Amino acid sequence: MAGGGEFGFIRTRLAPLARGHPAALDLTDDAAVLTPAPGCQIVVASDMLVAGVHFLETDPPEVAAERALRSNLSDLAAMGAEPLGYLSSIAWPAGVTQAWRDGFVDGLASAQDRFGLALLGGDTTSGPGPFTISLTLLGQVPSGSALLRRSARAGDDVWVSGTIGDARLGLEISRGALAADPVLLERYRRPSPRLELGVALRGLASACLDVSDGLIADAGHIAAVSGVRLELQAGQIPLSPQSRRWLQEAPGASLVTLVTGGDDYELLFCARQDCRASIERLGREIGLVLTRVGLVADGAGVALLGEDGAHLETGAGGFTHF
Ligand SMILES: [Mg+2]
């Protein structure tokens, strides 16, 4: 971007997103200066979204911004962290209009207001490549309390929040491949990072991550780093009424599509069986359905089991970039 235009854009459009946060120094300095609460560790997550890969080139700029910030926040939720702020690095595509840039900033503003966040810094550039957004989220946890993937134990329950598969169907709607449904479309466009749940699971969950690649693939990540096997019951996977209807009515519809679709941004977590009552109470308190979907066992990998105990074939289990 031309110098004057870039600095003008930072001053008039991005600086207000700092919301006067002391760490941001009104985006006038070389770097942010962040003070964590006493006794806390900083949790940092970075994610890049590329047009045509992580969102559709046809998605409105507000949607790209909301998806970027919300999906990044989901990584903080998965660690049990409360968000402190974020850095935003944006490569605008060639020929981007002012209205389009404004729409993107409006999307960031809307998402950060929803979750009480401030922009602490970043960079903007433009280039010949696709529109690319890289966000770095900063959060904090009391020292030693971050939720990790590596500590699931055989005998633990496996739980998942919310419903699985809606965003996969929402993506199909965005592509014009499925009839419009506002609930499913919203689940794809504006995922809900489960920040309140993540914080409440500190000291309760033995392992946790957010479902971004697909339920089966992500369960596999816990299995791999914890050195255990996750056995999930197909009949227990929580589905929305819309997904259930799709499953019953759409030609060729399969549960496998929903459990390997990804972009759910629900939390998949493990917990000792004596935590069941506490977790059920927690779900009622925060108004979020928490469903026990299986058990951690000795062994390796993930099994999706049908009603008769037979293994269901899930292929690669989810999305991988290469
Ligand atoms: Mg994640």
Side-chain angles (χ1 to χ4, degrees):
M1 198 182 305
E6 177 185 359
F7 294 123
F9 181 75
I10 292 170
R11 195 176 58 250
T12 61
R13 299 296 287 139
L14 294 181
L17 297 182
R19 302 284 194 261
H21 193 294
L25 302 167
D26 301 320
L27 305 189
T28 56
D29 221 308
D30 294 295
V33 181
L34 189 64
T35 310
C40 280
Q41 291 174 307
I42 297 282
V43 178
V44 187
S46 183
D47 233 343
M48 186 151 65
L49 284 85
V50 179
V53 180
H54 302 92
F55 55 93
L56 303 175
E57 312 249 17
T58 51
D59 280 344
E62 293 85 349
V63 167
E66 289 240 19
R67 267 182 62 73
L69 198 46
R70 287 164 172 264
S71 63
N72 273 256
L73 276 168
S74 180
D75 278 330
L76 291 190
M79 304 299 288
E82 51 186 301
L84 291 171
Y86 71 105
L87 308 173
S88 157
S89 295
I90 309 163
W92 305 109
V96 67
T97 63
Q98 184 61 40
W100 207 92
R101 275 200 294 260
D102 284 345
F104 183 79
V105 172
D106 289 345
L108 286 183
S110 159
Q112 72 173 60
D113 286 350
R114 165 71 182 78
F115 299 101
L117 273 183
L119 178 67
L120 303 183
D123 194 14
T124 65
T125 183
S126 61
F131 176 46
T132 302
I133 313 159
S134 173
L135 299 185
T136 300
L137 271 288
L138 298 159
Q140 66 181 8
V141 292
S143 292
S145 70
L147 303 174
L148 306 179
R149 298 178 174 189
R150 61 179 54 183
S151 31
R153 293 289 170 262
D156 286 351
D157 289 320
V158 182
W159 295 78
V160 71
S161 65
T163 53
I164 293 297
D166 301 328
R168 178 67 171 81
L169 299 184
L171 173 62
E172 293 302 320
I173 293 168
S174 283
R175 285 174 174 154
L178 204 61
D181 177 286
V183 172
L184 296 176
L185 188 61
E186 193 69 4
R187 290 276 284 157
Y188 166 71
R189 290 186 153 185
R190 291 182 185 78
S192 297
R194 303 305 189 186
L195 289 158
E196 193 180 9
L197 174 61
V199 167
L201 287 176
R202 290 178 199 153
L204 202 53
S206 57
C208 183
L209 52 58
D210 65 320
V211 180
S212 56
D213 296 333
L215 182 72
I216 301 299
D218 285 309
H221 297 147
I222 287 185
V225 295
S226 289
V228 294
R229 171 180 178 79
L230 267 61
E231 297 186 339
L232 308 183
Q233 301 293 329
Q236 302 298 320
I237 307 293
L239 302 177
S240 67
Q242 290 85 349
S243 291
R244 269 186 204 290
R245 197 174 328 123
W246 174 82
L247 206 48
Q248 285 160 3
E249 297 174 1
S254 159
L255 180 67
V256 173
T257 302
L258 302 178
V259 297
T260 59
D263 285 335
D264 298 292
Y265 300 109
E266 295 296 345
L267 295 187
L268 175 69
F269 59 96
C270 304
R272 290 194 322 267
Q273 293 187 20
D274 61 13
C275 294
R276 283 179 186 176
S278 302
I279 291 170
E280 282 160 6
R281 195 178 329 119
L282 170 62
R284 287 192 296 275
E285 280 169 10
I286 63 175
L288 180 60
V289 175
L290 304 177
T291 307
R292 204 148 36 85
V293 293
L295 278 173
V296 180
D298 288 320
V302 179
L304 183 64
L305 305 174
E307 304 293 340
D308 53 0
H311 289 207
L312 303 181
E313 184 51 56
T314 56
F319 182 79
T320 59
H321 282 284
F322 49 85

